[in-house]
Amino acid sequence: MSDVDEEQPPSSPMTKKIRSLPPDIVVEVGTGEAMRQFDCYKAALCFASPVFDLMFSNDMAENNDDRVRLPEKDPGEFKLFYSFIEHTGRVNSDNALTLAPWFHEFQMKRYLEECDEMLEGSITDYTRRDFYIHGENKNREEYFASILGQLQFAVRFDLDDTISAIDVLIADIAKAGCETIDLFTVQHVRTLVEHCFPLEKKKVRRFGEGAEASDGVYRIASNGNCRLFWKYLTTSSCVTGQSDFVEDYELANMTAEELAENKMLPLLVHSHMNRTAEKMKSLAAVKLIKSLHTDVPEAVHDRLEFKTDITADKAKAEALGALRTHFKTNKGDFEKLGMKKIPKSQRLKVVARLSTNSSVSSTGAVADATWTNRHRGTRLSL
């Protein structure tokens, strides 16, 4: 086929042998003025695709007319596709999305797996930090929506490795809580919940002293494409404040069929994720306040302990330095509270004074700092 011979790798010996014969079938691709005809080889089509093999092995119109019509296809895509029929094409990151539907429809498993591998690699390049609300990625919302689109694409065309990679990534993004919760809109959560089905109700044995053989609790497990996302929802953690979604809403009392028919399930998941994010934010605030009340005063004391020429201005400068160091060390916790950068001078008030009970010496200098984050309405006295 002259249309697909241009700029292609060298043909295999079998392809060259087939090409020594005249083309024996015409493939019409597209409709109207955009329609193009391609002179092809039945043997090459049958050898590469079980679908074409079945088509030409039976008393079908295509076999009798020596003509195949693909009116809904794009001629440019068919030209690319036929290069794989002749085993001269190469799957890469630029053409994998285009070719996967063709290989799926015409049951070309080997090349479909190559597309799957290529698309999986594009997903594993991401980390959850790429989706942090205070991160450097300004297109995080578009990227997340694109990943959900790729999930639906992968499910449609049986790209199992890509599905697994997306499930891992989405579960990891969800675990970031308040850093990524804005990405999980009701519509996005609805899409993810749909891919958690089918669900299965399982009885988990209780272990421990006094436990009977019949003792146990019911769990709802996912057998769908987003199993890890569902596992995240149904896992408790005292560290992050995460609670079991199924226990919170007493869903274990329902059957798997009832859950599948429950139109409120996505809204419950959305509410649960937002509540968990708020818990994580509160825990971060508590941790930050505790560290501010202990670490910063100690740091200021260490900075002033062996200095003899202490003034109020110097003490204030040391307190500011201690706060800045503390911010850099605990930057992740500050970001969870909505602070990406250390507060500017008008938002950071540090009051330092010399002890009135002793002379200015290495042991007589103390600093009292009051940190006010007016933007958040939080006042921390140190």
Side-chain angles (χ1 to χ4, degrees), residues 251-278:
L251 299 181
N253 297 327
M254 303 174 66
T255 65
E257 292 75 16
E258 289 172 337
L259 283 172
E261 296 174 358
N262 190 340
K263 298 185 182 300
M264 291 294 294
L265 191 60
L267 296 178
L268 295 179
V269 171
H270 183 261
S271 175
H272 173 79
M273 293 183 69
N274 277 274
R275 190 170 68 252
T276 298
E278 287 300 317

Side-chain angles (χ1 to χ4, degrees), residues 304-311 314 359-363 365:
L304 300 177
E305 185 175 5
F306 298 104
K307 294 183 178 181
T308 57
D309 56 341
I310 302 301
T311 65
K314 289 184 178 180
S359 60
V360 179
S361 64
S362 61
T363 58

Side-chain angles (χ1 to χ4, degrees), residues 96-142:
L97 278 172
T98 299
L99 290 167
W102 286 86
F103 296 146
H104 181 267
E105 179 177 349
F106 292 99
Q107 299 178 20
M108 297 168 66
K109 184 176 180 181
R110 168 194 161 191
Y111 289 126
L112 185 63
E113 290 175 349
E114 289 185 17
C115 290
D116 192 10
E117 182 179 354
M118 192 64 61
L119 294 173
E120 177 198 12
S122 68
I123 297 299
T124 54
D125 287 341
Y126 290 109
T127 67
R128 73 177 182 182
R129 294 194 68 87
D130 294 323
F131 299 90
Y132 279 10
I133 191 170
H134 298 108
E136 298 179 357
N137 184 2
K138 304 302 181 184
N139 300 315
R140 49 192 289 277
E141 295 179 1
E142 290 80 0

Side-chain angles (χ1 to χ4, degrees), residues 205-216:
R205 283 278 310 276
R206 286 188 184 274
F207 295 94
E209 186 177 352
E212 299 292 337
S214 59
D215 287 349

Side-chain angles (χ1 to χ4, degrees), residues 4-262:
V4 296
D5 291 343
E6 302 172 1
E7 301 180 3
Q8 295 296 339
S11 302
S12 66
M14 178 177 291
T15 302
K16 289 181 178 179
K17 186 175 181 180
I18 292 175
R19 285 181 173 178
S20 66
L21 303 173
D24 54 358
I25 192 165
V26 175
V27 179
E28 294 181 359
V29 187
T31 57
E33 295 181 358
M35 190 271 288
R36 289 179 60 187
Q37 294 185 348
F38 298 87
D39 295 327
C40 303
Y41 298 90
K42 277 187 181 181
L45 291 168
C46 292
F47 183 78
S49 165
V51 175
F52 284 120
D53 187 35
L54 182 64
M55 185 184 299
F56 299 137
S57 299
N58 293 289
D59 189 23
M60 299 181 68
E62 291 85 357
N63 195 29
N64 296 330
D65 298 343
D66 290 334
R67 186 174 297 270
V68 176
R69 296 174 177 82
L70 303 173
E72 297 180 359
K73 300 295 186 181
D74 179 83
E77 290 185 6
F78 179 80
K79 180 179 179 179
L80 175 63
F81 170 70
Y82 196 79
S83 69
F84 291 85
I85 293 292
E86 294 189 326
H87 302 287
T88 59
R90 299 291 183 270
V91 175
N92 56 51
S93 57
D94 295 327
N95 62 28
L97 278 172
T98 299
L99 290 167
W102 286 86
F103 296 146
H104 181 267
E105 179 177 349
F106 292 99
Q107 299 178 20
M108 297 168 66
K109 184 176 180 181
R110 168 194 161 191
Y111 289 126
L112 185 63
E113 290 175 349
E114 289 185 17
C115 290
D116 192 10
E117 182 179 354
M118 192 64 61
L119 294 173
E120 177 198 12
S122 68
I123 297 299
T124 54
D125 287 341
Y126 290 109
T127 67
R128 73 177 182 182
R129 294 194 68 87
D130 294 323
F131 299 90
Y132 279 10
I133 191 170
H134 298 108
E136 298 179 357
N137 184 2
K138 304 302 181 184
N139 300 315
R140 49 192 289 277
E141 295 179 1
E142 290 80 0
Y143 283 11
F144 189 73
S146 173
I147 286 172
L148 292 183
Q150 289 187 58
L151 172 62
Q152 294 174 300
F153 179 89
V155 170
R156 180 179 178 184
F157 298 112
D158 299 328
L159 305 175
D160 294 336
D161 291 343
T162 303
I163 293 171
S164 298
I166 293 174
D167 187 22
V168 170
L169 178 62
I170 288 177
D172 202 34
I173 293 172
K175 291 175 184 177
C178 53
E179 288 284 2
T180 57
I181 188 60
D182 63 306
L183 297 174
F184 292 88
T185 63
V186 173
Q187 183 58 46
H188 288 166
V189 169
R190 181 175 287 109
T191 298
L192 292 171
V193 170
E194 288 174 356
H195 287 291
C196 290
F197 295 119
L199 300 176
E200 181 182 1
K201 191 172 182 178
K202 297 180 178 180
K203 190 172 185 179
V204 182
R205 283 278 310 276
R206 286 188 184 274
F207 295 94
E209 186 177 352
E212 299 292 337
S214 59
D215 287 349
V217 294
Y218 284 102
R219 301 291 186 194
I220 305 295
S222 168
N223 291 326
N225 298 308
C226 290
R227 301 177 188 181
L228 293 180
F229 175 69
W230 184 265
K231 184 177 180 180
Y232 155 74
L233 294 173
T234 57
T235 300
S236 299
S237 172
C238 59
V239 176
T240 62
Q242 168 78 12
S243 58
D244 188 332
F245 166 70
V246 172
E247 288 185 358
D248 283 357
Y249 293 100
E250 299 181 351
L251 299 181
N253 297 327
M254 303 174 66
T255 65
E257 292 75 16
E258 289 172 337
L259 283 172
E261 296 174 358
N262 190 340

Side-chain angles (χ1 to χ4, degrees), residues 234-352:
T234 57
T235 300
S236 299
S237 172
C238 59
V239 176
T240 62
Q242 168 78 12
S243 58
D244 188 332
F245 166 70
V246 172
E247 288 185 358
D248 283 357
Y249 293 100
E250 299 181 351
L251 299 181
N253 297 327
M254 303 174 66
T255 65
E257 292 75 16
E258 289 172 337
L259 283 172
E261 296 174 358
N262 190 340
K263 298 185 182 300
M264 291 294 294
L265 191 60
L267 296 178
L268 295 179
V269 171
H270 183 261
S271 175
H272 173 79
M273 293 183 69
N274 277 274
R275 190 170 68 252
T276 298
E278 287 300 317
K279 288 181 181 178
M280 291 180 66
K281 192 172 182 179
S282 297
L283 288 173
V286 170
K287 177 183 175 183
L288 190 61
I289 291 171
K290 286 182 177 178
S291 62
L292 279 169
H293 277 279
T294 55
D295 298 345
V296 175
E298 290 177 3
V300 174
H301 178 270
D302 292 341
R303 286 168 179 253
L304 300 177
E305 185 175 5
F306 298 104
K307 294 183 178 181
T308 57
D309 56 341
I310 302 301
T311 65
D313 288 340
K314 289 184 178 180
K316 177 180 179 179
E318 294 296 346
L320 278 167
L323 280 170
R324 290 193 179 98
T325 300
H326 182 78
F327 179 86
K328 293 177 181 178
T329 304
N330 300 276
K331 187 176 180 180
D333 290 327
F334 275 97
E335 288 180 345
K336 289 177 182 177
L337 297 176
M339 296 176 61
K340 185 177 180 180
K341 298 180 180 179
I342 192 165
K344 296 181 180 179
S345 57
Q346 63 266 30
R347 292 182 183 172
L348 183 64
K349 180 182 179 183
V350 177
V351 180

